[in-house]
């Protein structure tokens, strides 16, 4: 039995303990000692040389009780300090936090209002500028048309005068007089031939380029693609999917395969060589938008195609961007370009977009490719689109997916 403070030394039995309280059930003696090994009060007999706690660490019960009292006092002091700290935190810190939250919320509101006010002011300024350009272009075209009206009215009057003069010579002059008027006839004819026929001129047309604005295009694209109601629920027509592509069950993901599928039933709608696919939906008018996740692929094409796009064979007439029936944004490794009718325009992009937004405004005859993450307009095509247009896709590396 080891010694600790007032603990027993080896070979000695414990002396008499404090006045009896609860008794040991085994020896009927007062529980005046504490066995630290068993963590319980024991009597002197239990703590002695022949007792059950022989060799254990033993100390007097009152010393253990005093130790516990000291611990309780220390704990109470700590609790008091903790309560004081909490009280101080509630009284001093939280009101400050609340005030700061109110202040920061107010500043955040001001920031939102300030920035939106600036955006609104910029939009109003851009609106005014563009409307002035439209008005100016309208006035220019109107003045050109008026000038043409005056010019051709004078030309008609001159032609009528020449014709009247020539008809008069024809009907009123005899042969000799007519011969004598030969020089005048030649001059009149030459004067008439100097009046050219009307020619088509762009100066007489309203130039729609006056409405083009990079700022307006970015804001418009962000507004359309940023709204769930502005995007189409595009699904791929499984009848058109190339045998080199696998279509997901939801008909939104295309996965490229180097091996041609033998389970695809051939049909007139299916592309049999190039890894292409058309959407099931076509558009003939209005504004339409959809997004495609392209971050996993380094070889793909996304855009629109006419329903007249040929499907069979390896020729350029079936290859997206190499014919008059398709308009596509394409990526091959780190090369990006817009392609239509065999014309390929390189795009100087430093990195590939993770998502590609497509906006088709058939009324404005505009096709736009957009990166939603950065708000960047990647390319805009203006031109006529014959017939109904289908969203079109091609992938020759990994997968691309239509974003729901």
């Amino acid at each position: 039995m080891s010694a600790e403070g007032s603990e027993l030394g080896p070979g000695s039995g414990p002396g008499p303990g404090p006045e009896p309280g609860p008794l040991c059930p085994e020896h009927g003696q007062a529980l005046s000692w504490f066995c630290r090994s068993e963590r319980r009060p024991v009597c002197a007999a239990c703590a002695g040389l022949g007792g059950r706690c022989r060799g254990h660490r033993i100390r007097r019960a009152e010393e253990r009780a005093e130790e516990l009292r000291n611990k309780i006092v220390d704990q109470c002091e700590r609790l008091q300090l903790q309560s004081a700290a909490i009280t101080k935190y509630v009284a001093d810190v939280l009101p400050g936090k609340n005030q700061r939250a109110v202040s920061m919320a107010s500043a955040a509101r001001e920031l939102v209002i300030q920035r939106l006010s600036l955006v609104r002011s910029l939009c109003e300024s851009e609106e005014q500028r563009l409307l002035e350009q439209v008005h100016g272009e309208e006035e220019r075209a109107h003045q050109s048309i008026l000038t043409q009206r005056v010019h051709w009215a004078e030309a008609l009057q001159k032609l009528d005068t020449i014709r009247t003069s020539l008809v008069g010579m024809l009907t009123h002059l005899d042969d000799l007089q007519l011969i004598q008027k030969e020089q005048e006839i030649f001059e009149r004819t030459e004067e008439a031939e100097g009046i050219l026929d009307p020619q088509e001129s762009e100066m007489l047309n309203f130039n729609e380029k006056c409405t083009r604005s990079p700022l307006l295009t970015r804001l418009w694209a962000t507004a359309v693609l940023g709204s769930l109601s502005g995007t189409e629920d595009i699904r791929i027509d499984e009848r058109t999917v190339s045998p080199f592509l696998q279509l997901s069950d939801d008909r939104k993901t295309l996965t490229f395969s180097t091996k041609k599928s033998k389970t695809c039933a051939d049909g007139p709608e299916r592309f049999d060589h190039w890894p292409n696919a058309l959407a099931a939906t076509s558009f003939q008018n209005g504004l339409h938008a959809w997004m495609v996740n392209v971050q996993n692929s380094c070889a793909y094409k996304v855009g629109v195609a006419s329903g007249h796009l040929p499907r069979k064979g390896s020729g350029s007439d079936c290859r997206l961007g190499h014919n008059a029936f398709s308009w596509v944004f394409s990526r091959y490794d780190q090369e990006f370009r817009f392609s239509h009718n065999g014309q390929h325009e390189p795009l100087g992009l430093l990195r590939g977009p993770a998502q590609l937004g497509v906006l088709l405004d058939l009324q404005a005859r505009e096709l736009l490719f957009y990166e939603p993450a950065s708000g960047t307009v990647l390319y805009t095509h203006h031109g006529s689109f014959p017939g109904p247009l289908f969203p079109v896709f091609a992938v020759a590396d990994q997968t691309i997916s239509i974003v729901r």
Side-chain angles (χ1 to χ4, degrees):
M1 187 165 53
S2 62
E4 181 179 343
S6 302
E7 295 179 4
L8 299 176
S12 63
E19 292 300 321
L23 301 179
C24 174
E26 182 178 352
H27 301 103
Q29 298 182 17
L31 301 174
S32 56
W33 296 88
F34 179 77
C35 177
R36 302 191 66 177
S37 299
E38 296 185 4
R39 310 292 300 172
R40 67 184 185 88
V42 296
C43 69
C46 290
L49 291 176
R52 59 182 295 175
C53 295
R54 181 169 56 88
H56 293 181
R57 292 186 299 166
I58 302 296
R59 68 182 308 179
R60 291 189 177 276
E62 61 266 25
E63 292 179 0
R64 176 57 180 166
E66 184 64 24
E67 181 182 352
L68 293 175
R69 289 189 184 93
N70 291 336
K71 284 187 177 181
I72 292 173
V73 170
D74 292 342
Q75 184 62 42
C76 289
E77 290 177 352
R78 282 194 295 270
L79 292 175
Q80 187 174 1
L81 292 174
Q82 185 179 8
S83 298
I86 293 174
T87 301
K88 180 178 179 60
Y89 179 81
V90 171
D92 299 340
V93 177
L94 287 184
K97 291 284 187 182
N98 185 64
Q99 185 61 38
R100 180 172 175 77
V102 171
S103 176
M104 292 185 69
S106 177
R109 291 189 191 94
E110 290 296 326
L111 180 63
V112 170
I113 293 172
Q114 181 184 29
R115 290 186 175 180
L116 287 177
S117 177
L118 182 61
V119 171
R120 193 176 298 112
S121 175
L122 183 61
C123 288
E124 291 173 354
S125 175
E126 186 71 356
E127 178 186 18
Q128 182 66 26
R129 184 184 72 82
L130 291 174
L131 290 178
E132 288 176 358
Q133 286 191 178
V134 170
H135 178 72
E137 177 61 18
E138 181 185 27
E139 286 294 311
R140 184 206 60 74
H142 180 65
Q143 288 299 321
S144 296
I145 293 170
L146 287 180
T147 300
Q148 287 286 302
R149 285 183 182 277
V150 172
H151 170 76
W152 292 114
E154 293 175 352
L156 286 172
Q157 185 177 5
K158 187 178 291 186
L159 288 173
D160 187 61
T161 300
I162 295 172
R163 181 178 178 278
T164 301
S165 175
L166 293 175
V167 170
M169 292 180 188
L170 184 64
T171 57
H172 297 98
L173 298 181
D174 57 25
D175 293 348
L176 181 60
Q177 290 173 326
L178 193 62
I179 293 172
Q180 291 174 342
K181 292 286 188 178
E182 182 177 358
Q183 180 63 31
E184 183 179 346
I185 293 172
F186 173 77
E187 292 175 354
R188 292 285 187 175
T189 302
E190 191 175 53
E191 183 180 4
E193 290 176 349
I195 301 174
L196 303 177
D197 293 336
Q199 300 292 326
E200 177 60 33
S201 172
E202 287 298 324
M203 295 296 293
L204 302 178
N205 298 329
F206 180 86
N207 186 359
E208 295 179 338
K209 292 182 179 180
C210 68
T211 63
R212 296 179 187 174
S213 160
L215 171 64
L216 180 58
T217 300
R218 287 196 301 271
L219 291 174
W220 172 71
T222 302
V224 174
L225 289 176
S227 169
L228 291 177
S229 61
T231 56
E232 306 284 341
D233 183 17
I234 304 295
R235 296 180 188 272
I236 294 167
D237 185 351
E238 58 188 351
R239 299 174 302 170
T240 68
V241 176
S242 163
F244 290 99
L245 299 178
Q246 296 177 1
L247 181 63
S248 62
D249 292 339
D250 62 359
R251 295 164 51 205
K252 287 181 173 289
T253 299
L254 290 169
T255 302
F256 176 71
S257 174
T258 56
K259 295 183 178 180
K260 190 173 184 179
S261 173
K262 296 180 180 179
T263 59
C264 284
D266 194 17
E269 299 90 356
R270 191 177 304 282
F271 294 94
D272 66 353
H273 179 80
W274 298 107
N276 304 338
L278 288 176
T281 307
S282 65
F283 309 119
Q284 290 184 299
N285 50 58
L287 172 64
H288 307 276
W290 60 97
M291 286 193 292
V292 184
N293 190 337
V294 294
Q295 64 181 344
N296 295 324
S297 179
C298 290
Y300 61 83
K301 294 179 181 180
V302 173
V304 295
S306 166
H308 301 297
L309 177 67
R311 318 293 172 87
K312 305 302 180 182
S314 59
S316 295
D317 56 339
C318 303
R319 192 177 182 186
L320 299 185
H322 289 255
N323 49 66
F325 304 110
S326 54
W327 300 256
V328 293
F329 175 97
S330 67
R331 175 182 182 178
Y332 182 74
D333 197 14
Q334 293 304 311
E335 293 182 4
F336 303 88
R337 61 188 184 181
F338 172 79
S339 300
H340 169 62
N341 204 19
Q343 301 296 315
H344 310 289
E345 186 168 345
L347 307 178
L349 303 184
L350 298 179
R351 59 175 180 80
Q355 287 187 340
L356 186 63
V358 184
L359 278 77
L360 177 64
D361 190 342
L362 290 167
Q363 181 179 356
R365 295 179 296 174
E366 184 174 358
L367 174 65
L368 182 147
F369 298 95
Y370 176 84
E371 183 184 24
S374 64
T376 302
V377 176
L378 303 176
Y379 189 81
T380 304
H381 173 77
H382 299 271
S384 298
F385 299 99
L389 293 180
F390 293 80
V392 68
F393 313 90
V395 57
D397 174 61
Q398 302 294 323
T399 67
I400 60 174
S401 299
I402 302 170
V403 178
R404 187 174 181 84

